[in-house]
Amino acid sequence: MDNKENNESTQPSGDKLSKNALKKQQKAAEKAAKKSERAETRGEQKTAENEEEDVSKGLYGLLAMIQSTESPDRKLVAIKQLDKSIDGQTIWIRGRLHTSRAKGKQCFFVLRQQHYSVQCLTAVSEKVSKLMVKFVASVSKESIIDVEGVVRSVDNPIESCSQRDVELHVNQLFVVSSSEPRLPLQIEDASRPETESDATNDSEGLNIRVNQDTRLDNRVIDLRTPTSQAIFRIEAAVGKLFRDSLEKRGFVEIHTPKIIPAASEGGSNVFEVSYFKGNAYLAQSPQLYKQMAIAADFQRVYTVGAVFRAENSNTHRHLTEFVGLDFEMAFNYHYHEVLDIIGELFVDIFKGLESRCTDEIAAVGRQYPAEPFKFLEPTLRLEFADGVRMLREAGIEMGDEDDLTTANEKVLGKLVREKYKTDFYILDKFPLAVRPFYTMPDPSNAKNSNSYDLFMRGEEIMSGAQRIHEPQFLTERANHHGIDLQTIKSYIDSFRYGCPPHAGGGIGLERVTMLYLGLDNIRKTSLFPRDPQRITP
Amino acid sequence: MDNKENNESTQPSGDKLSKNALKKQQKAAEKAAKKSERAETRGEQKTAENEEEDVSKGLYGLLAMIQSTESPDRKLVAIKQLDKSIDGQTIWIRGRLHTSRAKGKQCFFVLRQQHYSVQCLTAVSEKVSKLMVKFVASVSKESIIDVEGVVRSVDNPIESCSQRDVELHVNQLFVVSSSEPRLPLQIEDASRPETESDATNDSEGLNIRVNQDTRLDNRVIDLRTPTSQAIFRIEAAVGKLFRDSLEKRGFVEIHTPKIIPAASEGGSNVFEVSYFKGNAYLAQSPQLYKQMAIAADFQRVYTVGAVFRAENSNTHRHLTEFVGLDFEMAFNYHYHEVLDIIGELFVDIFKGLESRCTDEIAAVGRQYPAEPFKFLEPTLRLEFADGVRMLREAGIEMGDEDDLTTANEKVLGKLVREKYKTDFYILDKFPLAVRPFYTMPDPSNAKNSNSYDLFMRGEEIMSGAQRIHEPQFLTERANHHGIDLQTIKSYIDSFRYGCPPHAGGGIGLERVTMLYLGLDNIRKTSLFPRDPQRITP
């Protein structure tokens, strides 16, 4: 797992080619591509031509576009399965050409599948012609190729590849899908660990980093890095663990509409949509619909879907469109019944990630090192007043009913981590004054409310509360907040035909994934991020 | 399971109250509600007052709004758990007052939880006062109540309730959340089986149906019917089975953006969004992004999310916003590798529904009878030309390259069902001319394509294809279709850096659920449907 130190020196890397060699490679590939076009129009399988004496004739070349003409009886082996146990076997692999380096009569190259890779070698021999080696060296990086070769054990572990104990001696090689030779970014640059000092840059620019806009503009390539591959598998796991944990507890999945007739909370920060001859809005949250599902007897519901915020916030943690994981639950007598489940839910998620995504978490950590995420079981629960006390003891001044600033959240996160050894906790009993009108007041202290925030590494990931389920009291609270009752009529009406007491909350999938991994920017955990400046690709 | 015949006669139904009795009930409930308000301001638990001689004092009344003041040490039992095995036990239940009928010194009522129900009885006795019985009779239907009572076996099964073998003799009753006494629709009316003849309507209007707009305008109540409760549990199961089946086969869940920079397919039928100082659109499909994920090495992906269609189609099967279950998969040599998995996916879903949702399917069938859904394992696969032949044999004229009309789809569905005994099949090899530009042509017949549709009960539920993964050929095909290349530049560019051959498809969750259950309208399977006429509630 220390390839971050070694991969530049031991890997036969395309980056090390001189500029001349690079040009040659491109020319050869372009020539090959032209041949391929001609071949395709004839629909034939392509092999190198016009060399009478080519001993490798028919064993390499550009395949015609795969159009489902036939299904060859050929088993393709996954790179992750390659190890010494199959030493000596001849196998076929389809993979991406990660790097390649011609060296006299041989060509070393690395074949990649997601975050797995294996070193390959084609060398001139009785079976392999010079022309074939030349062709292999001309294939552009990131092309998808089929290779046939013999698995061979190696004496010295290949540190730059995931499969360190074997290499493949290649006898056949066909290009399935060519990449353009000029890549807008290099996978190695985009994968370079943050720990490598920029100061070690050499004249060949080996320590180049790829800036975020270049990555996002060319997301199809950026997503191929081991880190991106790992991040989105972890993110998928968060979603799965969320659903599994709630389904185990009797929650039913629902789907709430994104197109809504009116701006739900006061009208600011919503995107407007042209809807036939009228207008509509994009939902900022599924909250009203989750609550309606509770009033409709679904008892415990969750929903996963797009949430839209028209906030002009250009920060490391805001997106204009994100994936909301929301839930709502009827309880019997006390909203802590819900808070208990929320605590268990997150323990399920964190434990599940540790056990199912060990390799992926390690992969992300190699590029973006972070302290391992700490949590307690059962989840730590503090009251807002405890938080204020801890902050004051640390010298921070704030009023009892002030909301936490983003900076104070961070400080409190550190204090909690020091004292309780956890990166995750629930802060209960927020001041009523800083919460929305539908929040249930605390019956034992009129200035508090039955509401809570959850924090990961000192950043808020969920705001939730017991909601007011009684229409008359809800009206009263809306009036107190100066809200135009007409805009929330259907919300209030939902509770007129009997509704159990209930509480809930929602998290942003990208934010939870980012904070779990200790990443610095939410755009790393959104497949195609949307922010005020970006809606492409 | 024959309560559709009996429930009107045996059930102690609120519908049978005369208009006078109804008025009385409302008045009593309103009076009670007023008392409750006064009580809440004092924050006390509410019991009937001012009756010195009331032997039930403190054992009934309106509870103060549950504000999480305390957690009584009281176990609430689920109605579905009630049977003879707990005969004689005293238990607490929270449920909805489904119906109630005062009858001399006693009041029969039915308590409901989702699609479970139990008959209850309060009768004047040493412990139960007249006042208490009067109070119970006054509670408005759909209110949520806590009752304490003794479970008693009954001699004659109670056909109108899910729990037929027991009833509850109630000693305590508290209203947790009052419903307004005037309901916009009656649960019994909304639950009435379609099989009951309208001709049997009597003077009390017992066979009233509830029209669709009334249902949708008051969706919170309409969703409480046993049928709605069952439909959305089945729909949740479809989603879960879809995900489980694909995850088992190595698919990774991704999330694709709904806000997109340009109208994906030619620009028609997309909703426009105001995006800060510019404009954006709502995605009609996740297809571009799924394909980009394939080009980014995710190999097999699926996504579940909102899909938007600005079509002014006012039909039984179109929504402007629906839940898309989409997947895309790289294959090795032939798109039938993907088609095999699609066949298995649906078999997994149909088998899973049969085993996990037996009760729910039966519940829907009681209100909306339909032939049980038939399918084959492995899935039946026909070629488009076979379909044309079958239609022609049945006397329908159509050209080889004509697309199937909706009417002909229906006819073909019937022919296939007769011949092959299945409501589900795949039709492969559609004419190239009727498919989008990105569809891979059939290498063996220039007029055909590597594309397929799936049908359930004669209606199309999925269109899919091998996509063209080669940018030059894709450009050629786009030109052939007269598409402005500038509008699809980023789509084509996604394939420039190597992309494996791939195929995929997507289904609409609501449509699959509707057709599986044999329902007549997609609005029945959308929690809060959106169509050109409706974006509320």
Side-chain angles (χ1 to χ4, degrees), chain B residues 25 34 37 45 64 150 159 176 207 345 377 443 481 484 496 502 504:
Chain B
Q25 197 191 46
K34 271 183 199 151
E37 279 166 47
Q45 179 170 308
V150 183
E159 298 292 344
V176 169
N207 268 356
L345 165 64
E377 186 178 5
H481 277 253
D484 177 1
R496 295 200 186 282
H502 59 283

Side-chain angles (χ1 to χ4, degrees), chain A residues 393-459:
Chain A
E393 281 167 12
I396 288 168
E397 289 179 24
M398 64 177 287
D400 288 338
E401 289 183 75
D402 288 352
D403 205 353
L404 287 174
T405 62
T406 308
N408 284 349
E409 285 177 359
K410 274 275 184 196
V411 175
L412 185 56
K414 277 187 188 148
L415 296 172
V416 169
R417 189 177 214 267
E418 279 164 25
K419 185 166 176 185
Y420 299 98
K421 316 293 174 211
T422 179
D423 287 310
F424 174 65
Y425 69 101
I426 297 174
L427 201 59
D428 192 17
K429 296 282 172 208
F430 268 65
L432 183 60
V434 303
R435 308 297 272 197
F437 73 96
Y438 49 72
T439 309
M440 185 65 85
D442 180 351
S444 61
N445 179 341
K447 292 195 164 178
N448 285 348
S449 64
N450 292 350
S451 72
Y452 39 83
D453 274 9
L454 275 64
F455 296 89
M456 286 174 66
R457 297 194 200 258
E459 296 193 36

Side-chain angles (χ1 to χ4, degrees), chain B residues 266-429:
Chain B
S268 65
N269 301 336
V270 289
F271 290 113
E272 196 175 311
V273 182
S274 303
Y275 197 81
F276 299 100
K277 284 172 187 164
N279 285 315
Y281 302 90
L282 293 180
Q284 283 178 293
S285 130
Q287 192 181 324
L288 165 58
Y289 296 100
K290 285 189 303 177
Q291 291 193 257
M292 286 172 84
I294 295 300
D297 287 349
F298 283 94
Q299 205 69 14
R300 296 178 171 201
V301 297
Y302 75 87
T303 187
V304 176
V307 171
F308 305 92
R309 301 275 163 93
E311 288 171 37
N312 200 351
S313 299
N314 297 277
T315 78
H316 78 286
R317 61 177 192 159
H318 286 90
L319 293 170
T320 51
E321 178 186 339
F322 62 90
V323 179
L325 308 181
D326 282 84
F327 57 89
E328 200 73 25
M329 172 183 152
F331 61 81
N332 293 334
Y333 299 104
H334 203 296
Y335 76 101
H336 282 176
E337 298 164 32
V338 180
L339 220 42
D340 289 344
I341 286 188
I342 295 176
E344 290 163 22
L345 165 64
F346 279 89
V347 169
D348 281 352
I349 292 175
F350 300 145
K351 283 174 122 176
L353 289 177
E354 278 180 3
S355 64
R356 296 187 198 183
C357 299
T358 320
D359 291 353
E360 286 83 358
I361 294 166
V364 177
R366 279 193 290 276
Q367 182 166 8
Y368 303 114
E371 288 282 303
F373 190 81
K374 285 186 185 175
F375 62 98
L376 300 175
E377 186 178 5
T379 295
L380 175 67
R381 197 185 299 171
L382 300 173
E383 294 210 350
F384 188 85
D386 301 326
V388 172
R389 199 173 309 120
M390 286 171 76
L391 284 168
R392 284 181 185 151
E393 280 167 12
I396 288 167
E397 288 179 25
M398 66 176 287
D400 288 338
E401 290 183 76
D402 289 351
D403 204 353
L404 287 175
T405 61
T406 308
N408 285 349
E409 285 178 358
K410 274 274 184 198
V411 175
L412 185 55
K414 277 189 188 145
L415 296 172
V416 169
R417 190 177 213 266
E418 279 166 25
K419 185 166 175 185
Y420 299 98
K421 317 292 174 210
T422 179
D423 287 310
F424 174 66
Y425 70 100
I426 297 175
L427 200 61
D428 192 16
K429 295 284 173 208

Side-chain angles (χ1 to χ4, degrees), chain B residues 37-49:
Chain B
E37 279 166 47
R38 290 197 302 273
E40 274 165 25
T41 55
R42 279 177 283 126
E44 290 166 13
Q45 179 170 308
K46 217 61 301 323
T47 56
E49 299 161 59

Side-chain angles (χ1 to χ4, degrees), chain A residues 68 258 275 297 320-321 466, chain B residues 68 258 275 320-321 466:
Chain A
S68 307
K258 311 308 169 209
Y275 197 82
D297 287 349
T320 51
E321 178 186 340
Q466 175 180 356
Chain B
S68 306
K258 311 308 168 209
Y275 197 81
T320 51
E321 178 186 339
Q466 177 181 355

Side-chain angles (χ1 to χ4, degrees), chain A residues 245-266:
Chain A
S245 177
L246 292 180
E247 280 172 11
K248 202 168 67 184
R249 293 176 171 82
F251 283 73
V252 178
E253 185 178 25
I254 59 169
H255 298 281
T256 64
K258 311 308 169 209
I259 294 176
I260 57 170
S264 32
E265 286 176 38

Side-chain angles (χ1 to χ4, degrees), chain A residues 232-418:
Chain A
F232 292 98
R233 284 175 167 78
I234 294 165
E235 192 156 277
V238 173
K240 182 169 172 53
L241 290 161
F242 174 87
R243 290 188 300 253
D244 288 353
S245 177
L246 292 180
E247 280 172 11
K248 202 168 67 184
R249 293 176 171 82
F251 283 73
V252 178
E253 185 178 25
I254 59 169
H255 298 281
T256 64
K258 311 308 169 209
I259 294 176
I260 57 170
S264 32
E265 286 176 38
S268 65
N269 301 335
V270 290
F271 290 113
E272 196 175 311
V273 183
S274 302
Y275 197 82
F276 300 99
K277 284 173 187 161
N279 285 317
Y281 302 89
L282 292 180
Q284 284 177 291
S285 131
Q287 192 182 325
L288 165 58
Y289 297 100
K290 286 189 301 177
Q291 291 193 258
M292 286 172 85
I294 296 299
D297 287 349
F298 283 94
Q299 205 70 13
R300 297 177 169 201
V301 297
Y302 76 87
T303 187
V304 176
V307 171
F308 305 92
R309 301 275 164 93
E311 288 171 36
N312 201 351
S313 299
N314 297 277
T315 78
H316 78 285
R317 62 176 191 158
H318 286 90
L319 294 171
T320 51
E321 178 186 340
F322 63 88
V323 180
L325 308 180
D326 283 84
F327 56 89
E328 199 73 25
M329 172 184 152
F331 62 81
N332 293 334
Y333 298 104
H334 202 295
Y335 76 101
H336 282 177
E337 297 164 33
V338 180
L339 219 44
D340 290 343
I341 285 189
I342 294 177
E344 291 164 22
L345 165 66
F346 278 89
V347 169
D348 280 352
I349 292 175
F350 300 145
K351 285 174 121 175
L353 289 177
E354 279 180 2
S355 64
R356 296 188 197 182
C357 298
T358 320
D359 291 351
E360 286 83 358
I361 293 166
V364 177
R366 279 194 290 275
Q367 183 166 7
Y368 302 114
E371 288 281 303
F373 190 83
K374 285 186 185 175
F375 62 97
L376 300 175
E377 187 178 6
T379 295
L380 175 67
R381 197 185 299 171
L382 300 174
E383 293 209 352
F384 188 84
D386 301 326
V388 173
R389 199 173 309 120
M390 287 173 75
L391 284 169
R392 284 184 186 149
E393 281 167 12
I396 288 168
E397 289 179 24
M398 64 177 287
D400 288 338
E401 289 183 75
D402 288 352
D403 205 353
L404 287 174
T405 62
T406 308
N408 284 349
E409 285 177 359
K410 274 275 184 196
V411 175
L412 185 56
K414 277 187 188 148
L415 296 172
V416 169
R417 189 177 214 267
E418 279 164 25

